Amino acid sequence: MSHPNDAKLRSFIDVAPTSDFPIQNLPYGVFSARGSAPRVGVAIGDYILDLAVLEGEGLIDLAPAHDVFARSSINAFMALGPSVWSNTRAWISELLRHDNPHLRDNKSLRSRALVPMGEVKLRLPFAVAGYTDFYSSKEHATNVGVMFRGKDNALQPNWLHMPIGYNGRASTVVVSGTQVRRPRGQLKPPNADSPSFGPCKRLDFELEMGVVVGQPSAMGEMLSEAQAEAMIFGFVLLNDWSARDIQQWEYVPLGPFQAKAFATSISPWVVTREALEPFRVHGPEQVPAPLPYLKQTRPNNFDLELDVVLRTADMNAAQSICRTNFKYMYWSSVQQLVHHASSGCAMNVGDLLGSGTISGPDKHQRGSLLEISWNGSEPIELPRGAKRTFLEDGDQLVMRGWCQGDGYRIGFGEVEGTILPGG
């Protein structure tokens, strides 16, 4: 049996070289067809392989667990652990091979198990147990620091010593395609004597990746690098919507609160850690060296291209406003998870860890409008004379991400959100 990451593998389903979902990917998601309950599937080309059908036919045996895929989330599957994740992916890969007749030549089974992606509704892929957002791009942290504290004090003293983060709201994590209402909150511009309450005027996005935790850790215990890595089930695209003016007034002394609590969007497909293995790279050199518990023995970053496009209500086509790469992250996802548990914090199946805004060294690689417009002082030019410093009502933002292989790509689909007016 070939390894599922083998670049030579081909499926009996036609998959274009530019598709996000070749046989080497096989990401997990939750979908529902008209009149049917949500269930778990795997993306392959323009289709979804209905794993509930395969489990019902006895083609996937996860005993003693049962009906794992006839559910509205992948949490029950993730709870079964890394060996089950790997074995199941290998079996699905084998079933979809171009030279395996079992599903290919069984017309009845194929018609029930392969569902056109365009005919279903994609849902939140996992039940989010908890949500933590980090601040781990040195370029992003430096840009923001220069804006608000000056070049000599851009990075806070602790930033180079540990991954900085805050606890967000799991209750407002939503799937791609969910419209986002402009948040309301307390606002106090620098020239105002007192705060007022009303709709945010400086609404922003943050381009991030999200780690999906698939295994728990016990309260009071620390994690090693290897343990943390084994707990990571996969990754999603993540948009950390941000109300900059609400954040500016509220963040002292405890950090973001309502400015981040109103919505966080994720892509509907969870790309497994195993599918990303061929794209591992070393991250930036960490100086000073991290404390021993944060030291890494292997490359834990990924060569993952990211693109953000914006379309206003008056534009016929979207325009790219950011193109960067996940490899630039100073603190890796493994280090983030290790640090998160280092105090004895228990991690749960379904925890979501946002990477923090992903920016690169060049101007076109800035992963937020705060940076792109340099806090509103450098508006971006759009077609038909439109300009943007922050997001306006009716704006549609789409993020995409992929790792480019030899003749195939491991993609995440997209995470999309359109801004609705605030009340």
Side-chain angles (χ1 to χ4, degrees), residues 370-421:
L370 178 67
E371 297 168 87
I372 295 169
S373 74
W374 206 252
N375 197 25
S377 66
E378 301 175 9
I380 58 174
E381 304 283 342
L382 297 169
R384 299 188 178 184
K387 297 181 180 181
R388 285 293 185 274
T389 53
F390 293 96
L391 296 170
E392 297 186 9
D393 295 344
D395 286 353
Q396 179 192 52
L397 197 88
V398 178
M399 299 173 174
R400 298 184 178 91
W402 64 93
C403 298
Q404 187 60 53
D406 184 10
Y408 70 97
R409 62 165 47 176
I410 303 298
F412 290 77
E414 66 180 35
V415 57
E416 182 271 342
T418 300
I419 305 303
L420 298 179

Side-chain angles (χ1 to χ4, degrees), residues 310-320 382-384 386 388 395:
L310 173 65
R311 186 179 69 83
T312 73
D314 296 327
M315 289 168 56
N316 294 323
Q319 176 171 304
S320 179
L382 297 169
R384 299 188 178 184
R388 285 293 185 274
D395 286 353

